[in-house]
Amino acid sequence: MTETLAQQQAAGLRALADMVEAHPEIPATYLGGFFGIDVWFPQSAEEMAAIARAALKHGAKVEKDISETQYNLTIAWGPFKARALGNRGKVCERVVTGTETVTRKVPDPSVVVPMVEVTEEVETFEWRCAPLLAADAEAVSA
């Protein structure tokens, strides 16, 4: 019987765990470090939610880390951390909430060096990232 890719990856992680345990003199910085190891690269909120559900089912602590461009999950079993790295634009919905007037200096197109002030309308927006396990919470409360 041929092993699946998932089985081969799991076997590799078990071998890594055996090596780390057998050689405590070699610091496994990324296994117990601040970030942990990057394991998944989900392409949608649904994929991110599936990772979070699976991690919780297997006793992990799951934390979100959302930045200007990223939506990441850190999944921890004690000091061991693994991360799911997502692009915020693929996991969250960008919703335009209005416009605001801003003034900035831009080059005068008729002259090479001087700058002129321009007033223009620009979009204001926010990112709405639904709780990944919201559907699970609704199912439990029903």
Side-chain angles (χ1 to χ4, degrees):
M1 179 173 119
T2 304
E3 286 186 327
T4 66
L5 177 60
Q7 290 170 321
Q8 292 171 355
Q9 290 171 328
L13 286 170
R14 285 186 197 95
L16 174 62
D18 290 344
M19 184 185 108
V20 169
E21 189 173 47
H23 297 280
E25 74 280 8
I26 303 171
T29 305
Y30 288 100
L31 297 183
F34 181 73
F35 291 114
I37 60 172
D38 300 335
V39 179
W40 303 275
F41 296 94
Q43 299 299 307
S44 68
E46 293 77 19
E47 288 180 27
M48 190 70 81
I51 293 166
R53 278 193 295 277
L56 291 170
K57 181 179 177 182
H58 288 273
K61 178 181 177 184
V62 178
E63 294 180 336
K64 293 184 281 186
D65 176 27
I66 303 170
S67 70
E68 200 57 35
T69 60
Q70 299 291 305
Y71 185 108
N72 303 328
L73 292 181
T74 299
I75 298 161
W77 290 272
F80 175 75
K81 296 177 183 178
R83 291 194 315 164
L85 304 179
N87 179 302
R88 187 170 77 170
K90 291 183 178 181
V91 176
C92 303
E93 175 186 9
R94 183 180 185 266
V95 179
V96 175
T97 58
T99 61
E100 63 183 10
T101 301
V102 297
T103 301
R104 56 191 172 101
K105 287 192 174 194
V106 297
D108 182 340
S110 65
V111 182
V112 176
V113 178
M115 302 285 278
V116 296
E117 287 190 354
V118 176
T119 300
E120 61 186 358
E121 293 290 316
V122 296
E123 290 182 342
T124 59
F125 62 91
E126 64 185 36
W127 288 95
R128 294 185 185 159
C129 302
L132 292 176
L133 303 176
D136 293 346
E138 292 172 10
V140 171
S141 64

